[in-house]
Amino acid sequence: MLDIELVKKEIRPTAVRLRVLEQFQSDPAAVSLNELEERLQPVDRTTLFRTLKMFEKKGVVHAVHDENGIIKYALCADSCRCSYSDHLHVHFSCKRCKKTTCLHDVQIPEVMLPQGYVPQDANVVIKGVCNLCSGL
């Protein structure tokens, strides 16, 4: 089934790509290259990096900068066209468990830029304690 999803995005479904996609689908939290490398050992780091970049380019994942400036990747929603407006949602970074989660239902308010400025990306990260860690 995963291979069909990759083929729809015009990505050849190799064993590594399928494992990476499976990892994203099994955990909704955004993951860094280092975290992915640890989880998928003994996959080559360069192969993982190239896979993430291809997935980002093809609209499978989007990049999120966490509270420490580390790039993490999160699975795009099925309806995502990977345009600027599709990624205007808030991300939450938990100070306890260190997970970064997309909050797709919490939209970033539209920012009116001066004429001639063309937005291509926006990143809002709210830091605190997630619902699992807070017990609420």
Side-chain angles (χ1 to χ4, degrees), residues 24-44:
F24 278 110
Q25 290 184 333
S26 69
D27 185 355
V31 294
S32 68
L33 175 61
N34 289 342
E35 292 167 328
L36 204 54
E37 184 179 26
E38 287 174 19
R39 293 176 189 180
L40 299 177
Q41 286 183 7
V43 176
D44 176 63

Side-chain angles (χ1 to χ4, degrees), residues 3-129:
D3 54 340
I4 294 170
E5 292 181 40
L6 291 181
V7 170
K8 285 181 186 176
K9 298 277 187 172
E10 299 179 357
I11 299 171
R12 192 168 54 88
T14 66
V16 170
R17 292 172 184 165
L18 290 169
R19 284 185 67 199
V20 170
L21 182 58
E22 186 177 75
Q23 179 64 49
F24 278 110
Q25 290 184 333
S26 69
D27 185 355
V31 294
S32 68
L33 175 61
N34 289 342
E35 292 167 328
L36 204 54
E37 184 179 26
E38 287 174 19
R39 293 176 189 180
L40 299 177
Q41 286 183 7
V43 176
D44 176 63
R45 182 179 180 83
T46 302
T47 302
L48 284 177
F49 178 77
R50 288 180 180 158
T51 298
L52 289 171
K53 287 303 177 186
M54 176 188 297
F55 279 13
E56 186 178 18
K57 180 179 177 184
K58 296 286 190 169
V60 176
V61 300
H62 63 280
V64 179
H65 296 264
D66 75 1
E67 67 175 11
N68 299 314
I70 295 171
I71 298 174
K72 292 187 173 184
Y73 298 88
L75 196 61
C76 287
D78 290 335
S79 62
C80 183
R81 297 175 318 276
C82 279
S83 65
Y84 172 70
S85 60
D86 285 333
H87 290 164
L88 289 180
H89 59 267
V90 171
H91 301 93
F92 191 90
S93 181
C94 181
K95 292 180 175 238
R96 286 193 189 155
C97 67
K98 307 297 184 207
K99 288 189 176 187
T100 301
T101 309
C102 291
L103 302 177
H104 292 285
D105 294 334
V106 182
Q107 300 296 307
I108 298 172
E110 184 177 352
V111 176
M112 300 304 294
L113 298 174
Q115 186 174 356
Y117 287 80
V118 180
Q120 294 180 331
D121 189 25
N123 188 34
V124 172
V125 178
I126 297 176
K127 303 164 200 152
V129 180

